[in-house]
Amino acid sequence: MIALQGQIVKGKVVRLEEYGAFVEVTTEEGTTVTGLVHVSEVSTEFVENIYAELAEGDEVDVKVLDIKEDGKVDLSIKRADPDWQDEESVNLRSKLDKDFNKRLRRFMHKSQMIQGEARRQKRGRVDS
């Protein structure tokens, strides 16, 4: 067993891919296991280029997010940070963002309908 889910452990970046970093961590038994830190779990900021954020050989603190039945391990660097906000506040922000996006789409749709109607009326006046 690597560690308990939610535990923060030390790891070493062993490989980088566009979609994330493979980090090697030591299990409680002393063996090493490689887990994936998805690019979205590297930083609280948007990571456009993972190679600019991390390098092979970097020592990092990671939080164990999940240990799947097939043995794959999901890790997070940003959640290992002591300043990381708890998920409840993140979920609230996500809900607020979704509500905003929904209202924005509705506004844009209405605006396009009004502009289309104005163009039709203008063409009707020109044709007359």
Side-chain angles (χ1 to χ4, degrees), residues 2 9-15 21-27 31-36 58-60 62 75:
I2 177 179
V9 295
K10 293 243 180 246
K12 181 179 180 180
V13 177
V14 292
R15 191 172 97 218
F22 289 92
V23 176
E24 195 173 78
V25 293
T26 304
T27 65
T31 59
T32 57
V33 174
T34 303
L36 174 67
D58 284 356
E59 298 282 331
V60 291
V62 292
L75 303 170

Side-chain angles (χ1 to χ4, degrees), residues 52-126:
E53 296 286 325
L54 296 170
E56 289 183 16
D58 284 356
E59 298 282 331
V60 291
D61 289 334
V62 292
K63 184 172 186 174
V64 180
L65 298 180
D66 193 19
I67 303 167
K68 299 184 177 165
E69 289 181 20
D70 61 3
K72 292 182 180 175
V73 180
D74 291 338
L75 303 170
S76 173
I77 294 172
K78 72 180 182 184
R79 295 177 196 227
D81 185 340
D83 294 332
W84 170 250
Q85 296 176 353
D86 65 342
E87 292 190 22
E88 289 178 12
S89 63
V90 171
N91 288 339
L92 175 62
R93 176 156 177 94
S94 177
K95 183 181 181 327
L96 292 174
D97 287 346
K98 286 179 185 174
D99 289 345
F100 172 77
N101 287 336
K102 186 177 177 181
R103 288 193 309 269
L104 180 61
R105 279 193 306 274
R106 199 175 309 136
F107 169 80
M108 293 299 292
H109 179 71
K110 285 181 181 178
S111 176
Q112 289 170 347
M113 287 176 42
I114 291 168
Q115 289 176 5
E117 182 61 31
R119 282 192 294 271
R120 280 190 293 279
Q121 288 177 1
K122 186 176 181 182
R123 269 183 281 178
R125 278 187 246 132
V126 171

